[in-house]
Amino acid sequence: MPLQGFWWWVCCRHGFTLLGREYGEKEEEEESFEMSSPGIQMTNRNGSQDVGVTQPVRASNGLERPLLVSEEKSLITPNSKVICKDDQDVIVKGWLQREVCGEARRPWSRLKKYWFVLTPDSLDCYNSNEKPSKRLGSLVLTSLCSVMWPSKQTYKETGYWNVTVYGRKHCYRLYTEHLNEAVHWVCAIQKVIDSKDPMETPTQLLIKDIEENHSNQETVEEIYKLNPILRHTKSPLYAPLLPFPYGSDDHSPHSVKGYTALRDEAVKIFNSLQQMENENDPVPLMQGVLQTCLDLRPLRDEVYCQVMKQTTEPPEPGSVSDLRYWQLLTCMSCTYLPSPAVLRFLQFHLHRMKSHYPSTETEKYADFILSSLDKTKQREYVPSYEEISVLIQRQELICTVHYPGAGVCKLPITSHTTAEELVEELIKKLKLNGSRNVFALFEQNNHYEQVLAKATIVADTLTRFENFTCKEKGFETRWRLYFKLYCFLDTDDVPKDSLEYSFLFEQAHEAVIQGYLPTNEESLQSLAALRLQFLNGDFSPSAPFPRLEELFPIYILHSRVLASSKPHITSKPSCPSLHKGLFSGALPNGLWNNSLVKQKAEESQKFRGRMKEEGANMMSAIVDKWKALQSMDRTEVMATYLSIVKQWSGFGSTVYDIDFYMSSVGSFSQRLWLGVSASALSLYKQGEVDAFENIQYSQITSFGVSDNSTFKVSVGEKEMIFETSKVR
């Protein structure tokens, strides 16, 4: 055993620590590796020459795993003695223009013709196609290299089709006048890259060794002890812990958001993590890291590994700077999961930290994260500021839900709570378990309402509300969650003293003032009077009066005023154009525009005056009817109100505004209502009492949704398509 332990120490020390960087103090050595075929490549801190040695690293089965470290060749090696390779190793060869950096006298880039040879291992550059010929440079091809397809934009600007090949340190920018030649080179180079075995970084190799030896605690601890790359560091990271393709991400859709290459983003994130240690308010920085990982999926495993590294053997366990990493890891575990391999290592890491720091904050965070990993689903948005603030305290988020009748209910939720789960909790809390009707959760403001799908993460919706609030100001844009009846299956047997009955009443009133009850004006005035009786009781001159639009569908008054104004507006239709034709040239532009503005202001003032007059008349008529409702209690008011509303055949239906309707038999309509009730689908022309078509569910042969706004129904051989932009 002593000999075996000594051999393990020698192997690991040579395999990783010998290739480390010196950062001032010997005990704070840190290693940051990059891979290059056929083994491990390390970049020195000052960019000096790499160490090229063969180092054995102890594998889990007791054998040695040779890691060959080879240096990628410089692109320009004027003194190279290498001659052009034999044709049997050549895949493609030919003349190409190459972008060359200028000299001191001519600092701009220029194109120069070279002879290029593609082999199974590299892309080589020569000054001539004659043999023997000196090799000017070589780009070693590995699985991490990348080649870009020719750009049409580059051809338009330069007259050349470009072929760009990215290596670990360097990049070949090649050009040709022929598209087919450029495509041929790209396909050949990509085929060579695809033939290479996937590269593995030292972090990946060590994770595998730890996984293979997880049952041997002594061996695992020795791996951590001898490999600083697995432990906390105060030094910067110079290369990612996991492999990423070489090259720029300018061609990626993510570049629109300002992201650079994945390798560069990985290094930037590590710098942000270290900055987070000393932040008084780490939430904005955490949101930034989470957003980057949400946008760039390949970075998720990398950042998980970085945070695990920084939570391993920190200099001050349990300090504020140490807990910052645990808080970020908590937020990450509630937002997205790593790949299966990294997830297994994360779970091992959490259990290891629990055993190392029992009865501490570290153990509590580890338990919370382990629990979250079992529940987390892919989030659409990063957690809101409020959500992160409670997550870092390992607490639940308090969610405010409104319901009909100005009711408010506050419930604790987690980052994993779905709309369906929240609806179930609300039904229990509001004691609606016995209802046969279907309830749902809506997102709502004064102008918009949309039902939430059952699987929607409620915390995602709250994050969207936070984002909207930052962009939109004012009362009318305030967003909220709203719980109400969604599908009416039974409206007759609802107890009048139940909360569900008040839901029916309040939602019927919402439908009335929004114009979804086609009835006469007299009935609408009666409904408004009943609403006043419900709110204030018997008439009193000192009773508070709500706004007219809260009692009566205001669009009726708008239509009346506009209709009465039409003769006045159109009495002299030719005057505006005649006046403009005669005098527009005579009047300066500013005066003419001021005249139009003044005219519109006068018309708007007249319209407001007419609306105020009509509104006063309507309110007077409503109050007269209110006075006749003396001694009517609230239960009686609700019953009377609903009895009037139920006279419309569409009561009890969930109504959708249909912008466009078309059927296979030639029918075509716009501006319809589609009522979905417990027994049938009904089509109404907006504002009309009777449906012009009723479709029993037994008649429907198929139905489906083609997108968020288009619904298709088949009844026998007849097909109907509905398109809506607004769902109630």
Side-chain angles (χ1 to χ4, degrees):
M1 283 298 294
L3 182 60
Q4 184 180 7
F6 175 76
W7 172 244
W8 172 258
W9 182 86
V10 171
C11 292
C12 288
R13 186 68 177 171
H14 265 69
F16 295 102
T17 311
L18 182 64
L19 298 179
R21 295 186 179 90
E22 295 293 338
Y23 290 105
E25 293 185 7
K26 189 173 181 181
E27 61 270 20
E28 292 185 2
E29 291 180 308
E30 181 56 37
E31 300 164 354
S32 184
F33 295 86
E34 292 194 48
M35 303 304 300
S36 176
S37 178
I40 300 176
Q41 177 69 44
M42 195 198 84
T43 307
N44 289 334
R45 184 182 185 184
N46 57 7
S48 60
Q49 187 175 0
D50 302 310
V51 180
V53 291
T54 301
Q55 303 296 345
V57 175
R58 178 72 179 273
S60 60
N61 58 4
L63 301 177
E64 294 179 1
R65 177 185 293 156
L67 301 177
L68 303 177
V69 184
S70 64
E71 181 185 2
E72 183 178 310
K73 307 298 185 296
S74 172
L75 285 179
I76 301 178
T77 53
N79 299 324
S80 175
K81 301 298 182 181
V82 181
I83 62 172
C84 189
K85 298 188 178 183
D86 296 334
D87 284 348
Q88 62 183 3
D89 295 330
V90 173
I91 298 173
V92 182
K93 58 184 177 179
W95 292 101
L96 292 171
Q97 302 276 358
R98 177 183 162 200
E99 189 176 282
V100 181
C101 293
E103 303 168 356
R105 292 176 297 176
R106 294 178 293 180
W108 56 86
S109 299
R110 57 194 176 90
L111 299 182
K112 189 174 180 181
K113 185 180 287 188
Y114 292 97
W115 181 256
F116 284 90
V117 176
L118 177 65
T119 70
D121 296 313
S122 62
L123 180 61
D124 302 325
C125 175
Y126 300 89
N127 60 0
S128 171
N129 61 345
E130 298 177 357
K131 297 181 181 180
S133 177
K134 290 184 179 180
R135 184 172 62 190
L136 302 178
S138 181
L139 194 150
V140 177
L141 296 175
T142 70
S143 62
L144 300 183
C145 292
S146 59
V147 56
M148 301 296 104
W149 278 87
S151 166
K152 192 173 183 179
Q153 184 63 30
T154 302
Y155 179 75
K156 288 180 179 179
E157 295 173 356
T158 65
Y160 290 95
W161 295 99
N162 62 314
V163 176
T164 307
V165 188
Y166 291 99
R168 185 175 67 86
K169 291 183 179 179
H170 304 289
C171 166
Y172 273 170
R173 302 184 188 276
L174 312 175
Y175 299 86
T176 176
E177 296 177 351
H178 306 291
L179 175 60
N180 58 344
E181 185 177 6
V183 171
H184 182 62
W185 276 98
V186 168
C187 293
I189 294 170
Q190 187 63 58
K191 190 173 182 180
V192 172
I193 294 172
D194 293 341
S195 68
K196 301 298 180 181
D197 293 332
M199 305 266 53
E200 289 186 304
T201 62
T203 298
Q204 287 177 303
L205 295 173
L206 289 169
I207 289 175
K208 285 185 177 180
D209 276 345
I210 290 171
E211 186 174 3
E212 292 168 358
N213 290 277
H214 70 277
S215 59
N216 189 334
Q217 185 178 354
E218 183 180 347
T219 302
V220 168
E221 295 303 324
E222 195 72 11
I223 294 174
Y224 276 100
K225 180 180 179 182
L226 298 176
N227 293 282
I229 199 170
L230 294 172
R231 305 196 303 268
H232 182 281
T233 181
K234 293 184 177 180
S235 303
L237 197 68
Y238 293 94
L241 300 177
L242 302 179
F244 290 105
Y246 307 131
S248 171
D249 262 12
D250 294 340
H251 59 285
S252 167
H254 296 300
S255 62
V256 177
K257 296 186 177 182
Y259 293 118
T260 57
L262 291 173
R263 299 166 64 79
D264 297 333
E265 290 295 337
V267 174
K268 289 179 186 177
I269 286 181
F270 191 79
N271 293 335
S272 298
L273 300 186
Q274 293 179 314
Q275 179 186 345
M276 182 182 65
E277 293 182 23
N278 302 314
E279 287 288 329
N280 291 329
D281 181 11
V283 176
L285 201 53
M286 289 180 180
Q287 276 187 310
V289 172
L290 294 170
Q291 186 64 61
T292 301
C293 293
L294 198 67
D295 293 338
L296 306 177
R297 180 181 290 268
L299 281 181
R300 297 176 190 177
D301 280 357
E302 170 71 22
V303 178
Y304 265 111
C305 288
Q306 289 181 6
V307 178
M308 284 188 280
K309 169 185 173 67
Q310 293 299 91
T311 52
T312 301
E313 298 183 22
E316 297 180 36
S319 64
V320 173
S321 58
D322 176 42
L323 294 181
R324 287 283 185 259
Y325 291 106
W326 284 104
Q327 291 164 359
L328 175 60
L329 195 57
T330 299
C331 296
M332 291 172 64
S333 69
C334 294
T335 309
Y336 42 73
L337 295 175
S339 66
V342 176
L343 178 59
R344 290 193 299 271
F345 182 59
L346 172 61
Q347 291 168 332
F348 169 83
H349 172 74
L350 294 172
H351 287 294
R352 180 172 179 267
M353 291 299 99
K354 284 179 60 180
S355 64
H356 280 212
Y357 306 104
S359 304
T360 63
E361 285 292 296
T362 297
E363 183 187 30
K364 294 176 183 177
Y365 276 110
D367 278 329
F368 188 92
I369 295 167
L370 284 168
S371 175
S372 296
L373 292 173
D374 293 332
K375 306 171 188 174
T376 295
K377 300 169 186 174
Q378 177 62 46
R379 295 277 296 268
E380 293 184 21
Y381 300 91
V382 300
S384 64
Y385 188 98
E386 184 182 0
E387 183 183 354
I388 292 179
S389 299
V390 298
L391 277 177
I392 62 180
Q393 304 292 332
R394 302 186 305 276
Q395 296 175 353
E396 292 182 316
L397 181 66
I398 301 300
C399 177
T400 302
V401 182
H402 300 260
Y403 58 85
V408 176
C409 186
K410 294 190 176 184
L411 290 172
I413 63 169
T414 69
S415 299
H416 322 288
T417 303
T418 63
E420 182 180 24
E421 292 168 343
L422 185 56
V423 166
E424 291 174 356
E425 287 297 317
L426 285 164
I427 289 174
K428 291 177 185 176
K429 182 157 186 170
L430 299 177
K431 299 179 180 179
L432 297 168
N433 309 65
S435 174
R436 292 182 55 205
N437 295 309
V438 178
F439 296 86
L441 199 62
F442 292 75
E443 55 183 8
Q444 183 190 80
N445 67 9
N446 279 20
H447 305 292
Y448 176 85
E449 183 179 274
Q450 175 68 51
V451 65
L452 295 181
K454 291 182 178 181
T456 300
I457 303 295
V458 177
D460 270 344
T461 303
L462 297 179
T463 298
R464 284 197 298 107
F465 290 174
E466 182 180 274
N467 295 340
F468 289 149
T469 303
C470 294
K471 297 176 183 178
E472 305 170 355
K473 303 296 181 182
F475 173 77
E476 292 190 351
T477 57
R478 291 181 184 173
W479 289 85
R480 63 180 185 174
L481 290 174
Y482 198 72
F483 171 76
K484 67 176 186 176
L485 285 163
Y486 180 50
C487 185
F488 301 87
L489 301 177
D490 179 14
T491 59
D492 297 325
D493 299 327
V494 178
K496 293 183 179 181
D497 59 346
S498 67
L499 180 62
E500 184 180 6
Y501 196 77
S502 69
F503 274 34
L504 282 175
F505 168 70
E506 293 290 346
Q507 290 185 226
H509 179 65
E510 286 178 13
V512 168
I513 62 175
Q514 290 171 9
Y516 290 100
L517 179 67
T519 188
N520 56 62
E521 191 171 311
E522 184 77 15
S523 296
L524 292 173
Q525 290 176 1
S526 299
L527 291 173
L530 287 165
R531 182 67 178 179
L532 278 174
Q533 181 71 16
F534 177 82
L535 294 174
N536 298 327
D538 292 343
F539 170 77
S540 169
S542 60
F545 282 79
R547 295 180 301 169
L548 180 60
E549 52 265 35
E550 296 176 11
L551 301 172
F552 187 86
I554 203 69
Y555 79 93
I556 292 178
L557 300 186
H558 276 267
S559 301
R560 182 182 299 167
V561 172
L562 288 174
S564 64
S565 302
K566 278 184 180 180
H568 173 73
I569 294 173
T570 59
S571 58
K572 296 180 180 179
S574 61
C575 285
S577 59
L578 177 62
H579 177 75
K580 182 177 178 181
L582 287 174
F583 300 105
S584 60
L587 291 173
N589 253 355
L591 290 177
W592 177 250
N593 290 337
N594 289 339
S595 167
L596 290 177
V597 170
K598 186 177 180 181
Q599 182 182 352
K600 289 181 178 178
E602 290 175 354
E603 291 176 356
S604 177
Q605 186 175 0
K606 288 179 182 178
F607 179 81
R608 288 196 298 270
R610 289 294 311 279
M611 282 293 298
K612 188 174 181 180
E613 181 183 344
E614 289 289 338
N617 293 336
M618 181 60 67
M619 184 60 82
S620 176
I622 292 171
V623 170
D624 288 341
K625 291 182 179 294
W626 178 23
K627 293 176 181 178
L629 301 176
Q630 296 292 322
S631 303
M632 186 178 285
D633 62 24
R634 301 187 81 178
T635 303
E636 190 178 356
V637 167
M638 289 192 289
T640 306
Y641 194 105
L642 288 173
S643 67
I644 296 174
V645 175
K646 285 182 180 181
Q647 293 174 9
W648 180 45
S649 61
F651 175 77
S653 299
T654 302
V655 180
Y656 297 86
D657 287 311
I658 301 300
D659 301 321
F660 174 81
Y661 161 71
M662 183 175 64
S663 72
S664 58
V665 296
S667 300
F668 170 81
S669 300
Q670 291 178 306
R671 297 179 59 80
L672 300 176
W673 288 337
L674 174 64
V676 181
S677 68
S679 58
L681 298 180
S682 301
L683 277 171
Y684 299 84
K685 290 184 178 179
Q686 291 189 8
E688 294 192 1
V689 176
D690 297 321
F692 68 84
E693 186 164 5
N694 288 294
I695 306 165
Q696 300 297 319
Y697 291 127
S698 58
Q699 298 175 274
I700 297 176
T701 54
S702 67
F703 64 92
V705 178
S706 58
D707 54 49
N708 290 336
S709 61
T710 305
F711 181 62
K712 181 179 178 181
V713 176
S714 297
V715 180
E717 296 181 357
K718 180 181 178 181
E719 291 187 351
M720 295 176 287
I721 296 175
F722 306 95
E723 187 172 307
T724 178
S725 58
K726 183 180 178 183
V727 179
R728 290 184 66 245

